Amino acid sequence: MKLIIAAAIVIFSVIKYFSSSEVNEITGEKQYISLTKDDEIAMGMAVSSC
């Protein structure tokens, strides 16, 4: 039973990972990221202000 649950978690994670792909407008590269553009900008601003 634990093996089935573990396999289901792995399958869900893989599907979630590959469904989160998008093409970066600047570089044209495919990325697998779950952040929005605004989240990325906010992280960059927070790091640069340190």
Side-chain angles (χ1 to χ4, degrees), residues 1 6 8 12-13 18 20 24 26 28 31 34-35 39 41 46 48 50:
M1 184 66 175
F12 174 77
S13 298
F18 283 108
S20 68
N24 185 320
I26 306 298
Q31 300 185 101
S34 61
L35 295 174
D39 290 341
I41 293 170
S48 66
C50 291

Side-chain angles (χ1 to χ4, degrees), residues 29-40:
E29 295 179 354
K30 193 174 203 179
Q31 300 185 101
Y32 298 98
I33 189 164
S34 61
L35 295 174
T36 65
K37 221 183 287 186
D38 292 334
D39 290 341
E40 285 188 73

